[in-house]
Amino acid sequence: MSDPVDQARTVLTAAPADLLLSRIRELLDQRYGMVEVDLLQVDYRLAALLPLTAGEAVTEPGHPAWRCFDHQSPMYVEGTAYLPVSMRGERRGVLRVRPVAGESLLPELAEIGTALAHELTAVDPGTDVYRIARRTRRLTLAAEMQWELLPGRSRIRPSFSLAGQLEPAYAVRGDSFDWSDDGDRVWTATINGMGSGVAASMLTTLATCALRNARRAGISLADQAALADQAIYALHRGEQYLATLLIEVDLHSGLLTAVDAGSPRLVLLRAGEVRVQSLEEQFPLGMFEGSHYREQHLQLEPGDRLFMISDGVLDATGQEVRYGQSALDRMLRRTAPMSPLDAVRALLGDLRAFVSADLTDDAVIVCLDWYGPQP
C-alpha cells in the first residue's frame, strides 16, 4: 500500500479545482473509514472559521478548531482531528476529520492538511469556490479589489515572520500592504490610501503595481519611491496622492532601510519596550512632480519586532475618544509572545472593541519579526 501522504498529493494534483476536498474525503474514507471531512476556512476578518460544505461557522475562541488555527498544531478531541491547512506561513484554515481512531494518525493527517494548503493556493486564482466560501457577507467592490491585490496575509521563513491585515475587512477602500522576499532581503510597503470607494482602490492599485515594477527592476528603495511617485503624478497631476512607508531588511545583517513617504507609522518592539521610530517624513507619492526621496537606516537586533501602522488605527474613535498612542503602546506590548498574525489580529480586535463597531476609516497593520541571520 502506497504512503498515504504521497497518495494524497497525487490525488490532489489530479483533482479538478473545485473537487479538492471531495477527493481527500474519498481517500480518507477508503483508507481509514473517515467519512466526515470538511475544510474550515478563515474568513477575511480573521473572526470565523467557515465550512466549505454545509455546517455552522466556528466563532468561539476556545473551540478546538480555533486552537488548531492559533497554535498551528493538530488537535484531537473525542475522535475528531483538527489539522492546520497552511503553507509557508499562510494560514488558510483547518481540516476537520472524523472518526479518527487515536492520536497516532495525527502526523500523517497533518501532512495531508499541508498538501491540501499547497493545492488550494495553486488553484485559487482559477476558481471562485474557495473565495466565496470564506466570506461571511458580500465584499464591497473596492474591498474585492484590495484583497485581490495582496501577496498573502502571512509569511514565514527561518530569518523572519510577517503578517498583515486590512480593516474594515469587508469594506476597506484605500489602505493596503505589499511584500516580497528573495532569501537575502525582505521588502514591505504599507499604504495609507486617499479617497473613498473604488477611486481609492484604483489609486492604491496603481501605487502597488508601480512599486512592484520598480522593485523588480532591482533599483534602490529611494528610486522605487521616486518611480511610483512619477507614475501617480503623471496620471493625477497632484490631485490624488497617497502616503506610503517602504521598508527593506537585509536578512544577513539586520540593516533596515526605510523611505517615509507620508506615511504610516513605524514602531519597534524591542525587549518589551515600544519605540516609535522618528523618520524623516517626505512627500506622499504623487503629490508633486519629480519628488526625490531619501533613505534612512536602522540596525535591527535578533528578536526585534516591527509594526507598520496606518493612521486609521490611531485616529479610530469610540465615544468621542481617540484610540491614541497610549492604548496602542499597551496593546503592542501585550502582543510580544504572539506570532505576527496573532499580534495583528489581537490589535485589530482591541480596536474594534474600542470603537464598538466596524471602523469608519481604513486601517492597516503589518507586523514583521526578524529572528537574526539564518543559514
Side-chain angles (χ1 to χ4, degrees):
M1 185 178 289
S2 63
D3 177 84
V5 178
D6 289 339
Q7 190 176 359
R9 293 192 182 105
T10 300
V11 165
L12 286 168
T13 302
D18 60 315
L19 297 179
L20 298 181
L21 185 64
S22 296
R23 296 295 187 264
I24 285 295
R25 184 185 295 116
E26 292 169 4
L27 173 64
L28 294 178
D29 186 13
Q30 291 169 5
R31 293 196 67 112
Y32 306 109
M34 299 174 185
V35 294
E36 296 182 46
V37 180
D38 202 1
L39 172 63
L40 305 174
Q41 296 185 104
V42 68
D43 84 312
Y44 286 82
R45 203 182 188 192
L46 291 171
L49 291 168
L50 306 175
L52 182 63
T53 56
E56 295 292 324
V58 179
T59 56
E60 58 271 27
H63 193 282
W66 271 119
R67 299 207 307 271
C68 171
F69 182 86
D70 290 338
H71 300 293
Q72 286 298 284
S73 60
M75 299 291 298
Y76 178 80
V77 180
E78 298 178 350
T80 301
Y82 299 89
L83 313 157
V85 179
S86 306
M87 53 85 66
R88 304 184 191 278
E90 180 69 16
R91 305 187 202 176
R92 301 190 66 95
V94 173
L95 187 65
R96 180 172 58 196
V97 180
R98 59 188 172 203
V100 178
E103 298 185 34
S104 61
L105 290 174
L106 289 185
E108 63 187 52
L109 291 175
E111 288 193 59
I112 291 174
T114 300
L116 176 59
H118 279 268
E119 201 61 33
L120 284 168
T121 303
V123 304
D124 211 26
T127 179
D128 291 333
V129 169
Y130 307 103
R131 286 183 174 89
I132 292 171
R134 64 174 182 257
R135 54 189 72 184
T136 58
R137 60 181 186 267
R138 184 176 178 179
L139 273 71
T140 64
L141 176 55
E144 191 86 52
M145 294 170 67
Q146 294 296 71
W147 283 103
E148 288 295 305
L149 195 63
L150 297 184
R153 190 148 48 187
S154 52
R155 180 100 165 100
I156 295 175
R157 289 197 65 150
S159 54
F160 74 88
S161 182
L162 181 61
Q165 176 67 5
L166 307 178
E167 280 289 333
Y170 288 86
V172 67
R173 298 165 288 271
D175 282 15
S176 189
F177 59 84
D178 191 30
W179 62 58
S180 179
D181 79 274
D182 64 3
D184 296 315
R185 292 164 295 178
V186 59
W187 296 266
T188 72
T190 308
I191 296 173
N192 188 11
M194 174 187 179
S196 61
V198 173
S201 185
M202 291 177 66
L203 179 63
T204 298
T205 299
L206 173 61
T208 301
C209 292
L211 287 168
R212 287 175 178 173
N213 179 256
R215 184 183 71 228
R216 291 164 184 168
I219 61 179
S220 70
L221 205 64
D223 288 340
Q224 293 174 33
L227 286 181
D229 171 73
Q230 292 171 23
I232 297 169
Y233 186 86
L235 184 63
H236 296 291
R237 312 305 296 179
E239 293 183 3
Q240 293 191 56
Y241 48 85
L242 44 73
T244 308
L245 176 61
L246 302 180
I247 296 293
E248 176 187 311
V249 178
D250 186 310
L251 298 175
H252 301 290
S253 66
L255 181 65
L256 178 147
T257 302
V259 172
D260 182 339
S263 89
R265 183 167 303 209
L266 177 63
V267 182
L268 172 66
L269 184 63
R270 174 178 290 171
E273 181 182 349
V274 176
R275 309 179 185 185
V276 178
Q277 299 304 296
S278 179
L279 297 176
E280 179 187 1
E281 188 171 325
Q282 302 170 66
F283 293 131
L285 301 182
M287 179 175 279
F288 298 110
E289 184 175 14
S291 297
H292 295 280
Y293 294 91
R294 293 170 296 281
E295 299 175 352
Q296 293 178 265
H297 301 283
L298 171 68
Q299 183 60 53
L300 298 180
E301 299 176 2
D304 278 352
R305 166 169 286 182
L306 293 167
F307 285 96
M308 286 68 81
I309 300 170
S310 72
D311 61 10
V313 175
L314 290 167
D315 293 341
T317 303
Q319 297 182 350
E320 301 182 359
V321 178
R322 289 176 69 250
Y323 190 72
Q325 189 65 50
S326 60
L328 178 62
D329 290 354
R330 170 181 52 81
M331 273 305 299
L332 294 184
R333 284 191 291 270
R334 286 178 57 186
T335 68
M338 303 178 187
S339 71
L341 183 62
D342 294 331
V344 167
R345 186 166 142 220
L347 180 53
L348 287 171
D350 187 67
L351 193 65
R352 286 194 295 265
F354 176 81
V355 175
S356 300
D358 276 345
L359 303 185
T360 56
D361 189 17
D362 285 0
V364 60
I365 301 175
V366 177
C367 178
L368 171 64
D369 284 355
W370 186 63
Y371 303 130
Q374 303 290 330

